[in-house]
């Protein structure tokens, strides 16, 4: 079956926005995004990781303990704000 018409090709695009989010947080926190090992956390689970932290094998889903072990304590692990429908978006954020 051809869902896109005769002779047309289908393209699938995947954007890695997790690392982008981590890099934006680096800049917001005043770190150098190109060199800082940073893991963004909620509860005890990593949501996003910078490229320098990925070089240590840190990945989404890693816990605080795993990040500390993999990076030998050199990765910043930052708990990011949790937004809910009950709280305004600005509540609990620094800026």
């Amino acid at each position: 079956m051809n869902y896109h018409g005769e002779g047309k090709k289908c393209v699938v695009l995947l954007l890695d926005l997790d690392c982008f989010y981590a890099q934006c947080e680096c800049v917001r926190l005043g770190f150098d995004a190109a060199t800082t090992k940073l893991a963004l956390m909620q509860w005890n689970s990593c949501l996003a990781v910078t490229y320098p932290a990925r070089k240590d094998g840190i990945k989404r889903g890693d816990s605080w303990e795993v990040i500390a072990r993999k990076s030998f304590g050199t990765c910043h692990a930052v708990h990011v704000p949790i937004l809910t429908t009950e709280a305004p978006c600005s509540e609990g954020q620094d800026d």
Side-chain angles (χ1 to χ4, degrees), residues 10-25:
C10 182
V11 175
V12 176
L13 176 66
L14 171 65
L15 299 175
D16 178 4
L17 295 180
D18 295 334
C19 190
F20 176 72
Y21 175 36
Q23 290 172 311
C24 288
E25 283 298 297

Side-chain angles (χ1 to χ4, degrees), residues 5-63:
E6 190 66 25
K8 293 185 179 181
K9 295 184 180 191
C10 182
V11 175
V12 176
L13 176 66
L14 171 65
L15 299 175
D16 178 4
L17 295 180
D18 295 334
C19 190
F20 176 72
Y21 175 36
Q23 290 172 311
C24 288
E25 283 298 297
C26 264
V27 171
R28 187 181 72 79
L29 295 169
F31 297 130
D32 179 0
T35 60
T36 302
K37 297 176 185 178
L38 180 72
L40 303 181
M41 309 289 291
Q42 280 190 344
W43 298 284
N44 193 28
S45 182
C46 180
L47 296 178
V49 185
T50 59
Y51 288 118
R54 288 182 181 189
K55 290 179 183 176
D56 285 345
I58 298 168
K59 62 186 187 312
R60 284 183 53 134
D62 283 352
S63 66

